[in-house]
Amino acid sequence: MSEKVLMPFNGTLAGTIEVPGDKSISHRAVIFGSLANGVTNVTNFLDGEDCKRTVHAFRQMGVNIRENGTDLVIESDGITSLTESKQPFYFGNSGTTTRLMLGILSGLPFFTVSYGDASLSKRPMDRVVTPLRKMGAMIDGRSDGSLLPISVRGSTLKGIDYTLPVKSAQVKSAVLLAGLLAEGQTTVTETIPTRDHTENMLKAFGADIQTAGNTTIITNKQRLTATDVQVPGDISSAAFFLAAGAIIPGSSILLKNVGLNKSRTGIMEVLEDMGADIQIENEKAISGEPIGDIRVSYAKLKGTVIQGDIIPRLIDEIPIIALLATQAEGITTIKDAEELRVKETDRINAVTELLSTLGADITPTGDGMIIKGKTPLNGGKIASCDDHRIAMMGAIASLISESEVIIDDISCISISYPGFFTDLESLM
Ligand code: SPQ
């Protein structure tokens, strides 16, 4: 346990930071670099615990991955060169690693066992196991394969036509990755679009893939071609500083090189709706992903309604949006976000407990929460629930709290943002 005591902050936040590389894109850069033939150079890789799990898994299958700070060099002879791991895969806290790897492992010709930490062991895996079994995957595990540990005996897969029953980029990605290895054609349709980094990277690495509307079709291709990947800054990490700049009077922060993929920028639309002062500068594209600098300054905020199609585009930002809502005049309602219940922790409960402890007026609902603002926040002892996004939200809340805030354990922050407190202190 690594407790953190945060004293009340009476100043303003000012300056420029560059948040670390995008977690979703970093995982995928390692996956596709390892499956491709040739040398893939990855720059601005997220050196967080979760992405290291993905690196380690491919090293266990014989891929040569060299690290130099946030740069990676991945050297692979392609899919057919991967070898059976002598040891089980430990995926720690990482849902993305687990679900995407299950898609790949199902179609590789060897036996594997995967397990994770206490939180990951509670997260539902049937959402990927069900479509993978339809493709012919031989998967076993706790609760009939719904929970880790899970074993896979790789087999010949066949393409399927699958409509996603959950709003999940991880499920979509697992099926597309299995489709890459499966006989014939695999079609995946989603009712509400989720992040599309897998599709973008499959295209960049030369896969046979087409997207039309909400449907993606992939055809078996054993040979992908290595290509370099520059990882944009993670908008999910930037979100904590967007919120801090918006709620601390007098603040003005510039966040450089943040990923602005439309499937991830729901938070920007919510900030605008709430009346925040945000501007995007220097927009450009790197490795097929749009990026830009975001300037945020303090402004008076008002409540809003967040529901429907925008939810997958800001799902990981809901904890910090809830904090924003405590500082907005009026009521903020968040609906259709039942997926929050199966993240690293039940984020609906974790957010409402944390913010209630600090004196906010927040009510959980089955699929979201209702927050009445504006309320001053007190100090108190809060629980991170071993969830990086809850811990960072608590740290930003402490900046506007009237007395000391103690977070029970901040070690989980290294999952996605190892330098979080260094960046925060540089703005104080
Ligand atoms: O990897 P993990 O633990 O699932 O990470 C989280 C996060 O907050 O960092 C969710 F807990 O992000 C997911 C995200 O919620 C990352 C992700 C991806 O890279 O594909 C997709 C989303 O999950 P899902 O289940 O909606 O597909």
Side-chain angles (χ1 to χ4, degrees), residues 23-25 27-28 50 93-97 99-100 120 123 127 167-171 173 194-195 197 315-316 339 343-344 347 387-389 415-416:
K23 179 159 81 68
S24 295
I25 297 177
H27 280 299
R28 288 154 172 87
D50 272 16
N93 194 249
S94 181
T96 308
T97 310
R99 297 199 178 111
L100 272 58
L120 191 61
R123 294 178 69 184
R127 53 181 54 202
K167 297 170 271 194
S168 167
Q170 293 177 358
V171 178
S173 302
T194 61
R195 65 194 69 190
H197 307 301
I315 188 74
D316 297 338
E339 276 293 304
K343 299 295 180 186
E344 284 82 329
R347 286 183 176 162
D387 183 326
H388 51 133
R389 302 212 190 273
I415 294 290
S416 64

mmCIF file of all heavy atoms in Angstrom, residues 23-25 27-28 50 93-97 99-100 120 123 127 167-171 173 194-195 197 315-316 339 343-344 347 387-389 415-416, ligand 1:
data_model
loop_
_atom_site.group_PDB
_atom_site.id
_atom_site.type_symbol
_atom_site.label_atom_id
_atom_site.label_comp_id
_atom_site.label_asym_id
_atom_site.label_seq_id
_atom_site.Cartn_x
_atom_site.Cartn_y
_atom_site.Cartn_z
ATOM 1 N N LYS A 23 -2.453 4.675 -24.004
ATOM 2 C CA LYS A 23 -2.369 3.285 -23.536
ATOM 3 C C LYS A 23 -2.927 2.326 -24.594
ATOM 4 O O LYS A 23 -2.298 1.314 -24.902
ATOM 5 C CB LYS A 23 -3.135 3.151 -22.207
ATOM 6 C CG LYS A 23 -3.138 1.751 -21.619
ATOM 7 C CD LYS A 23 -3.429 1.761 -20.141
ATOM 8 C CE LYS A 23 -4.880 1.874 -19.765
ATOM 9 N NZ LYS A 23 -5.718 0.708 -20.106
ATOM 10 N N SER A 24 -4.099 2.644 -25.135
ATOM 11 C CA SER A 24 -4.714 1.738 -26.124
ATOM 12 C C SER A 24 -3.813 1.571 -27.348
ATOM 13 O O SER A 24 -3.641 0.460 -27.863
ATOM 14 C CB SER A 24 -6.059 2.309 -26.587
ATOM 15 O OG SER A 24 -6.959 2.341 -25.526
ATOM 16 N N ILE A 25 -3.239 2.685 -27.814
ATOM 17 C CA ILE A 25 -2.400 2.622 -29.025
ATOM 18 C C ILE A 25 -1.069 1.933 -28.707
ATOM 19 O O ILE A 25 -0.543 1.174 -29.531
ATOM 20 C CB ILE A 25 -2.216 4.039 -29.617
ATOM 21 C CG1 ILE A 25 -3.588 4.597 -30.045
ATOM 22 C CG2 ILE A 25 -1.234 4.031 -30.791
ATOM 23 C CD1 ILE A 25 -3.570 6.022 -30.580
ATOM 24 N N HIS A 27 -0.530 -0.533 -26.551
ATOM 25 C CA HIS A 27 -0.759 -1.990 -26.566
ATOM 26 C C HIS A 27 -0.766 -2.504 -28.011
ATOM 27 O O HIS A 27 -0.155 -3.513 -28.344
ATOM 28 C CB HIS A 27 -2.155 -2.317 -26.012
ATOM 29 C CG HIS A 27 -2.275 -2.317 -24.526
ATOM 30 N ND1 HIS A 27 -1.561 -3.157 -23.711
ATOM 31 C CD2 HIS A 27 -3.084 -1.602 -23.705
ATOM 32 C CE1 HIS A 27 -1.917 -2.958 -22.449
ATOM 33 N NE2 HIS A 27 -2.839 -2.016 -22.417
ATOM 34 N N ARG A 28 -1.523 -1.786 -28.843
ATOM 35 C CA ARG A 28 -1.716 -2.256 -30.224
ATOM 36 C C ARG A 28 -0.419 -2.161 -31.028
ATOM 37 O O ARG A 28 -0.166 -2.987 -31.918
ATOM 38 C CB ARG A 28 -2.862 -1.484 -30.874
ATOM 39 C CG ARG A 28 -4.234 -1.920 -30.299
ATOM 40 C CD ARG A 28 -5.270 -0.857 -30.405
ATOM 41 N NE ARG A 28 -6.613 -1.278 -30.048
ATOM 42 C CZ ARG A 28 -7.133 -1.270 -28.810
ATOM 43 N NH1 ARG A 28 -6.389 -0.882 -27.777
ATOM 44 N NH2 ARG A 28 -8.387 -1.651 -28.591
ATOM 45 N N ASP A 50 0.495 -1.709 -17.482
ATOM 46 C CA ASP A 50 -0.364 -2.510 -18.372
ATOM 47 C C ASP A 50 0.321 -2.812 -19.702
ATOM 48 O O ASP A 50 0.295 -3.949 -20.190
ATOM 49 C CB ASP A 50 -1.685 -1.769 -18.656
ATOM 50 C CG ASP A 50 -2.747 -2.067 -17.609
ATOM 51 O OD1 ASP A 50 -2.387 -2.584 -16.536
ATOM 52 O OD2 ASP A 50 -3.934 -1.772 -17.868
ATOM 53 N N ASN A 93 -3.146 -6.199 -14.288
ATOM 54 C CA ASN A 93 -4.407 -5.462 -14.145
ATOM 55 C C ASN A 93 -5.035 -5.160 -15.504
ATOM 56 O O ASN A 93 -6.040 -4.467 -15.592
ATOM 57 C CB ASN A 93 -4.039 -4.150 -13.412
ATOM 58 C CG ASN A 93 -5.225 -3.402 -12.865
ATOM 59 O OD1 ASN A 93 -5.574 -2.328 -13.355
ATOM 60 N ND2 ASN A 93 -5.858 -3.940 -11.859
ATOM 61 N N SER A 94 -4.422 -5.675 -16.576
ATOM 62 C CA SER A 94 -4.737 -5.161 -17.913
ATOM 63 C C SER A 94 -5.835 -5.919 -18.668
ATOM 64 O O SER A 94 -5.598 -6.993 -19.261
ATOM 65 C CB SER A 94 -3.450 -5.145 -18.748
ATOM 66 O OG SER A 94 -3.730 -4.631 -20.026
ATOM 67 N N GLY A 95 -7.011 -5.324 -18.702
ATOM 68 C CA GLY A 95 -8.126 -5.887 -19.470
ATOM 69 C C GLY A 95 -7.811 -5.899 -20.955
ATOM 70 O O GLY A 95 -8.137 -6.855 -21.670
ATOM 71 N N THR A 96 -7.176 -4.836 -21.453
ATOM 72 C CA THR A 96 -6.883 -4.752 -22.891
ATOM 73 C C THR A 96 -5.945 -5.879 -23.305
ATOM 74 O O THR A 96 -6.195 -6.573 -24.303
ATOM 75 C CB THR A 96 -6.264 -3.382 -23.238
ATOM 76 O OG1 THR A 96 -7.101 -2.351 -22.711
ATOM 77 C CG2 THR A 96 -6.109 -3.202 -24.725
ATOM 78 N N THR A 97 -4.852 -6.068 -22.537
ATOM 79 C CA THR A 97 -3.915 -7.143 -22.890
ATOM 80 C C THR A 97 -4.665 -8.474 -22.941
ATOM 81 O O THR A 97 -4.563 -9.226 -23.921
ATOM 82 C CB THR A 97 -2.776 -7.251 -21.842
ATOM 83 O OG1 THR A 97 -2.219 -5.965 -21.639
ATOM 84 C CG2 THR A 97 -1.703 -8.221 -22.283
ATOM 85 N N ARG A 99 -7.915 -9.355 -23.233
ATOM 86 C CA ARG A 99 -8.959 -9.624 -24.229
ATOM 87 C C ARG A 99 -8.369 -9.660 -25.640
ATOM 88 O O ARG A 99 -8.733 -10.517 -26.443
ATOM 89 C CB ARG A 99 -10.073 -8.594 -24.084
ATOM 90 C CG ARG A 99 -10.743 -8.702 -22.694
ATOM 91 C CD ARG A 99 -12.086 -8.060 -22.649
ATOM 92 N NE ARG A 99 -12.715 -8.229 -21.339
ATOM 93 C CZ ARG A 99 -12.929 -7.231 -20.465
ATOM 94 N NH1 ARG A 99 -12.574 -5.999 -20.762
ATOM 95 N NH2 ARG A 99 -13.506 -7.475 -19.311
ATOM 96 N N LEU A 100 -7.422 -8.779 -25.940
ATOM 97 C CA LEU A 100 -6.838 -8.799 -27.285
ATOM 98 C C LEU A 100 -5.978 -10.051 -27.467
ATOM 99 O O LEU A 100 -6.007 -10.694 -28.530
ATOM 100 C CB LEU A 100 -6.033 -7.518 -27.551
ATOM 101 C CG LEU A 100 -6.860 -6.349 -28.131
ATOM 102 C CD1 LEU A 100 -8.032 -5.945 -27.256
ATOM 103 C CD2 LEU A 100 -5.993 -5.137 -28.418
ATOM 104 N N LEU A 120 -8.460 -8.070 -12.175
ATOM 105 C CA LEU A 120 -8.650 -8.652 -13.517
ATOM 106 C C LEU A 120 -9.357 -10.008 -13.431
ATOM 107 O O LEU A 120 -10.125 -10.379 -14.323
ATOM 108 C CB LEU A 120 -7.286 -8.784 -14.204
ATOM 109 C CG LEU A 120 -7.285 -9.122 -15.688
ATOM 110 C CD1 LEU A 120 -7.984 -8.054 -16.520
ATOM 111 C CD2 LEU A 120 -5.845 -9.283 -16.209
ATOM 112 N N ARG A 123 -13.054 -9.639 -13.773
ATOM 113 C CA ARG A 123 -13.652 -8.974 -14.944
ATOM 114 C C ARG A 123 -14.147 -10.005 -15.971
ATOM 115 O O ARG A 123 -13.522 -11.039 -16.175
ATOM 116 C CB ARG A 123 -12.637 -7.991 -15.560
ATOM 117 C CG ARG A 123 -12.365 -6.849 -14.590
ATOM 118 C CD ARG A 123 -11.362 -5.873 -15.096
ATOM 119 N NE ARG A 123 -11.828 -5.087 -16.218
ATOM 120 C CZ ARG A 123 -11.069 -4.213 -16.880
ATOM 121 N NH1 ARG A 123 -9.814 -4.022 -16.515
ATOM 122 N NH2 ARG A 123 -11.569 -3.533 -17.881
ATOM 123 N N ARG A 127 -17.418 -12.202 -22.689
ATOM 124 C CA ARG A 127 -17.709 -11.312 -23.818
ATOM 125 C C ARG A 127 -16.749 -11.548 -24.998
ATOM 126 O O ARG A 127 -17.126 -11.306 -26.135
ATOM 127 C CB ARG A 127 -17.666 -9.855 -23.356
ATOM 128 C CG ARG A 127 -16.378 -9.482 -22.648
ATOM 129 C CD ARG A 127 -16.354 -8.037 -22.160
ATOM 130 N NE ARG A 127 -17.479 -7.695 -21.331
ATOM 131 C CZ ARG A 127 -17.910 -6.442 -21.130
ATOM 132 N NH1 ARG A 127 -17.283 -5.442 -21.689
ATOM 133 N NH2 ARG A 127 -18.934 -6.196 -20.367
ATOM 134 N N LYS A 167 -20.894 -2.597 -25.795
ATOM 135 C CA LYS A 167 -20.154 -1.484 -26.410
ATOM 136 C C LYS A 167 -18.708 -1.633 -25.977
ATOM 137 O O LYS A 167 -18.307 -1.095 -24.955
ATOM 138 C CB LYS A 167 -20.715 -0.157 -25.884
ATOM 139 C CG LYS A 167 -22.163 0.094 -26.236
ATOM 140 C CD LYS A 167 -22.717 1.297 -25.485
ATOM 141 C CE LYS A 167 -23.314 0.927 -24.142
ATOM 142 N NZ LYS A 167 -24.138 1.927 -23.492
ATOM 143 N N SER A 168 -17.921 -2.403 -26.709
ATOM 144 C CA SER A 168 -16.558 -2.678 -26.257
ATOM 145 C C SER A 168 -15.569 -2.785 -27.409
ATOM 146 O O SER A 168 -15.680 -3.675 -28.252
ATOM 147 C CB SER A 168 -16.537 -3.987 -25.449
ATOM 148 O OG SER A 168 -15.206 -4.411 -25.261
ATOM 149 N N ALA A 169 -14.573 -1.888 -27.386
ATOM 150 C CA ALA A 169 -13.498 -1.949 -28.384
ATOM 151 C C ALA A 169 -12.630 -3.181 -28.170
ATOM 152 O O ALA A 169 -12.027 -3.695 -29.115
ATOM 153 C CB ALA A 169 -12.637 -0.691 -28.289
ATOM 154 N N GLN A 170 -12.582 -3.653 -26.928
ATOM 155 C CA GLN A 170 -11.747 -4.838 -26.663
ATOM 156 C C GLN A 170 -12.364 -6.079 -27.298
ATOM 157 O O GLN A 170 -11.652 -6.917 -27.851
ATOM 158 C CB GLN A 170 -11.583 -5.021 -25.149
ATOM 159 C CG GLN A 170 -10.773 -3.885 -24.531
ATOM 160 C CD GLN A 170 -10.644 -3.972 -23.021
ATOM 161 O OE1 GLN A 170 -11.191 -4.883 -22.395
ATOM 162 N NE2 GLN A 170 -9.936 -3.028 -22.445
ATOM 163 N N VAL A 171 -13.691 -6.194 -27.239
ATOM 164 C CA VAL A 171 -14.342 -7.357 -27.855
ATOM 165 C C VAL A 171 -14.197 -7.269 -29.376
ATOM 166 O O VAL A 171 -13.828 -8.238 -30.042
ATOM 167 C CB VAL A 171 -15.827 -7.439 -27.429
ATOM 168 C CG1 VAL A 171 -16.496 -8.619 -28.110
ATOM 169 C CG2 VAL A 171 -15.942 -7.566 -25.915
ATOM 170 N N SER A 173 -11.900 -5.804 -31.021
ATOM 171 C CA SER A 173 -10.505 -6.059 -31.385
ATOM 172 C C SER A 173 -10.163 -7.536 -31.295
ATOM 173 O O SER A 173 -9.443 -8.064 -32.149
ATOM 174 C CB SER A 173 -9.573 -5.264 -30.458
ATOM 175 O OG SER A 173 -9.866 -3.891 -30.557
ATOM 176 N N THR A 194 -17.070 2.296 -31.126
ATOM 177 C CA THR A 194 -16.098 2.398 -30.024
ATOM 178 C C THR A 194 -14.754 2.768 -30.636
ATOM 179 O O THR A 194 -14.635 2.855 -31.867
ATOM 180 C CB THR A 194 -15.972 1.048 -29.291
ATOM 181 O OG1 THR A 194 -15.495 0.073 -30.240
ATOM 182 C CG2 THR A 194 -17.307 0.588 -28.722
ATOM 183 N N ARG A 195 -13.729 2.927 -29.806
ATOM 184 C CA ARG A 195 -12.423 3.372 -30.327
ATOM 185 C C ARG A 195 -11.966 2.464 -31.471
ATOM 186 O O ARG A 195 -12.143 1.246 -31.411
ATOM 187 C CB ARG A 195 -11.390 3.473 -29.204
ATOM 188 C CG ARG A 195 -11.018 2.196 -28.541
ATOM 189 C CD ARG A 195 -10.252 2.454 -27.232
ATOM 190 N NE ARG A 195 -11.119 3.021 -26.224
ATOM 191 C CZ ARG A 195 -10.718 3.519 -25.057
ATOM 192 N NH1 ARG A 195 -9.443 3.524 -24.743
ATOM 193 N NH2 ARG A 195 -11.580 4.006 -24.196
ATOM 194 N N HIS A 197 -8.755 2.192 -32.875
ATOM 195 C CA HIS A 197 -7.297 2.102 -33.049
ATOM 196 C C HIS A 197 -6.873 0.769 -33.667
ATOM 197 O O HIS A 197 -5.889 0.710 -34.403
ATOM 198 C CB HIS A 197 -6.585 2.289 -31.705
ATOM 199 C CG HIS A 197 -6.988 3.528 -30.979
ATOM 200 N ND1 HIS A 197 -6.827 4.780 -31.514
ATOM 201 C CD2 HIS A 197 -7.550 3.720 -29.757
ATOM 202 C CE1 HIS A 197 -7.277 5.680 -30.641
ATOM 203 N NE2 HIS A 197 -7.720 5.061 -29.582
ATOM 204 N N ILE A 315 -15.787 6.825 -22.049
ATOM 205 C CA ILE A 315 -16.077 5.899 -20.947
ATOM 206 C C ILE A 315 -15.016 5.984 -19.826
ATOM 207 O O ILE A 315 -15.360 5.983 -18.647
ATOM 208 C CB ILE A 315 -16.263 4.443 -21.477
ATOM 209 C CG1 ILE A 315 -16.762 3.511 -20.379
ATOM 210 C CG2 ILE A 315 -15.003 3.904 -22.136
ATOM 211 C CD1 ILE A 315 -18.182 3.678 -20.008
ATOM 212 N N ASP A 316 -13.734 6.094 -20.204
ATOM 213 C CA ASP A 316 -12.688 6.102 -19.174
ATOM 214 C C ASP A 316 -12.567 7.464 -18.483
ATOM 215 O O ASP A 316 -11.880 7.585 -17.463
ATOM 216 C CB ASP A 316 -11.342 5.700 -19.784
ATOM 217 C CG ASP A 316 -11.376 4.270 -20.314
ATOM 218 O OD1 ASP A 316 -12.232 3.490 -19.853
ATOM 219 O OD2 ASP A 316 -10.551 3.936 -21.187
ATOM 220 N N GLU A 339 -21.288 -0.088 -18.447
ATOM 221 C CA GLU A 339 -19.967 -0.727 -18.614
ATOM 222 C C GLU A 339 -19.000 -0.333 -17.484
ATOM 223 O O GLU A 339 -18.052 -1.060 -17.197
ATOM 224 C CB GLU A 339 -19.363 -0.341 -19.966
ATOM 225 C CG GLU A 339 -19.849 -1.212 -21.114
ATOM 226 C CD GLU A 339 -19.358 -2.650 -20.998
ATOM 227 O OE1 GLU A 339 -18.154 -2.880 -20.906
ATOM 228 O OE2 GLU A 339 -20.221 -3.557 -20.988
ATOM 229 N N LYS A 343 -15.193 -2.344 -14.951
ATOM 230 C CA LYS A 343 -13.827 -1.864 -15.206
ATOM 231 C C LYS A 343 -12.921 -2.365 -14.077
ATOM 232 O O LYS A 343 -13.265 -3.320 -13.377
ATOM 233 C CB LYS A 343 -13.826 -0.339 -15.333
ATOM 234 C CG LYS A 343 -14.681 0.180 -16.492
ATOM 235 C CD LYS A 343 -14.130 -0.244 -17.848
ATOM 236 C CE LYS A 343 -14.983 0.269 -18.987
ATOM 237 N NZ LYS A 343 -14.553 -0.232 -20.287
ATOM 238 N N GLU A 344 -11.758 -1.718 -13.871
ATOM 239 C CA GLU A 344 -10.807 -2.179 -12.872
ATOM 240 C C GLU A 344 -11.471 -2.355 -11.502
ATOM 241 O O GLU A 344 -11.064 -3.168 -10.670
ATOM 242 C CB GLU A 344 -9.626 -1.212 -12.762
ATOM 243 C CG GLU A 344 -8.621 -1.331 -13.896
ATOM 244 C CD GLU A 344 -9.014 -0.574 -15.158
ATOM 245 O OE1 GLU A 344 -10.234 -0.437 -15.456
ATOM 246 O OE2 GLU A 344 -8.100 -0.125 -15.871
ATOM 247 N N ARG A 347 -16.755 1.343 -11.211
ATOM 248 C CA ARG A 347 -16.438 2.777 -11.166
ATOM 249 C C ARG A 347 -17.650 3.630 -10.785
ATOM 250 O O ARG A 347 -17.469 4.774 -10.373
ATOM 251 C CB ARG A 347 -15.827 3.231 -12.505
ATOM 252 C CG ARG A 347 -14.394 2.760 -12.670
ATOM 253 C CD ARG A 347 -13.730 3.241 -13.948
ATOM 254 N NE ARG A 347 -12.322 2.814 -13.962
ATOM 255 C CZ ARG A 347 -11.566 2.758 -15.047
ATOM 256 N NH1 ARG A 347 -12.052 3.089 -16.215
ATOM 257 N NH2 ARG A 347 -10.305 2.375 -14.965
ATOM 258 N N ASP A 387 -7.642 1.393 -8.488
ATOM 259 C CA ASP A 387 -8.003 1.770 -9.860
ATOM 260 C C ASP A 387 -7.309 3.095 -10.187
ATOM 261 O O ASP A 387 -7.581 4.127 -9.554
ATOM 262 C CB ASP A 387 -9.536 1.900 -9.952
ATOM 263 C CG ASP A 387 -10.018 2.211 -11.365
ATOM 264 O OD1 ASP A 387 -9.313 2.930 -12.094
ATOM 265 O OD2 ASP A 387 -11.126 1.751 -11.720
ATOM 266 N N HIS A 388 -6.431 3.056 -11.177
ATOM 267 C CA HIS A 388 -5.633 4.235 -11.533
ATOM 268 C C HIS A 388 -6.482 5.464 -11.797
ATOM 269 O O HIS A 388 -6.135 6.573 -11.366
ATOM 270 C CB HIS A 388 -4.729 3.926 -12.736
ATOM 271 C CG HIS A 388 -5.420 3.322 -13.930
ATOM 272 N ND1 HIS A 388 -5.231 3.760 -15.203
ATOM 273 C CD2 HIS A 388 -6.302 2.286 -14.050
ATOM 274 C CE1 HIS A 388 -5.945 3.033 -16.038
ATOM 275 N NE2 HIS A 388 -6.602 2.133 -15.364
ATOM 276 N N ARG A 389 -7.615 5.283 -12.480
ATOM 277 C CA ARG A 389 -8.414 6.475 -12.841
ATOM 278 C C ARG A 389 -9.136 7.043 -11.609
ATOM 279 O O ARG A 389 -9.347 8.245 -11.522
ATOM 280 C CB ARG A 389 -9.389 6.148 -13.972
ATOM 281 C CG ARG A 389 -8.656 5.619 -15.211
ATOM 282 C CD ARG A 389 -9.259 5.936 -16.523
ATOM 283 N NE ARG A 389 -8.561 5.167 -17.564
ATOM 284 C CZ ARG A 389 -7.460 5.563 -18.195
ATOM 285 N NH1 ARG A 389 -6.919 6.736 -17.915
ATOM 286 N NH2 ARG A 389 -6.883 4.799 -19.108
ATOM 287 N N ILE A 415 -0.171 2.187 -13.619
ATOM 288 C CA ILE A 415 -0.812 1.435 -14.707
ATOM 289 C C ILE A 415 -0.821 2.268 -15.989
ATOM 290 O O ILE A 415 -0.535 1.772 -17.077
ATOM 291 C CB ILE A 415 -2.285 1.084 -14.319
ATOM 292 C CG1 ILE A 415 -2.344 0.110 -13.156
ATOM 293 C CG2 ILE A 415 -3.114 0.611 -15.520
ATOM 294 C CD1 ILE A 415 -1.899 -1.285 -13.455
ATOM 295 N N SER A 416 -1.192 3.545 -15.867
ATOM 296 C CA SER A 416 -1.353 4.352 -17.086
ATOM 297 C C SER A 416 -0.589 5.665 -17.077
ATOM 298 O O SER A 416 -0.456 6.291 -18.136
ATOM 299 C CB SER A 416 -2.841 4.657 -17.338
ATOM 300 O OG SER A 416 -3.366 5.443 -16.294
HETATM 301 O O1 SPQ B 1 -7.241 -2.297 -20.212
HETATM 302 P P1 SPQ B 1 -8.332 -1.926 -19.268
HETATM 303 O O2 SPQ B 1 -7.958 -2.331 -17.880
HETATM 304 O O3 SPQ B 1 -9.673 -2.456 -19.662
HETATM 305 O O4 SPQ B 1 -8.389 -0.315 -19.310
HETATM 306 C C1 SPQ B 1 -9.426 0.681 -19.359
HETATM 307 C C2 SPQ B 1 -8.843 1.944 -18.604
HETATM 308 O O5 SPQ B 1 -9.546 2.643 -17.878
HETATM 309 O O6 SPQ B 1 -7.673 2.206 -18.827
HETATM 310 C C3 SPQ B 1 -10.776 0.255 -18.782
HETATM 311 F F1 SPQ B 1 -10.777 -0.091 -17.605
HETATM 312 O O7 SPQ B 1 -9.610 1.138 -20.708
HETATM 313 C C4 SPQ B 1 -10.195 0.365 -21.756
HETATM 314 C C5 SPQ B 1 -11.480 1.037 -22.212
HETATM 315 O O8 SPQ B 1 -12.402 1.211 -21.163
HETATM 316 C C6 SPQ B 1 -9.214 0.280 -22.898
HETATM 317 C C7 SPQ B 1 -9.829 -0.116 -24.194
HETATM 318 C C8 SPQ B 1 -8.963 -0.517 -25.321
HETATM 319 O O9 SPQ B 1 -7.763 -0.169 -25.326
HETATM 320 O O10 SPQ B 1 -9.496 -1.160 -26.248
HETATM 321 C C9 SPQ B 1 -11.199 -0.072 -24.402
HETATM 322 C C10 SPQ B 1 -12.164 0.258 -23.332
HETATM 323 O O11 SPQ B 1 -12.684 -0.945 -22.788
HETATM 324 P P2 SPQ B 1 -13.927 -1.719 -23.457
HETATM 325 O O12 SPQ B 1 -14.216 -2.835 -22.521
HETATM 326 O O13 SPQ B 1 -15.011 -0.695 -23.510
HETATM 327 O O14 SPQ B 1 -13.525 -2.180 -24.765
#
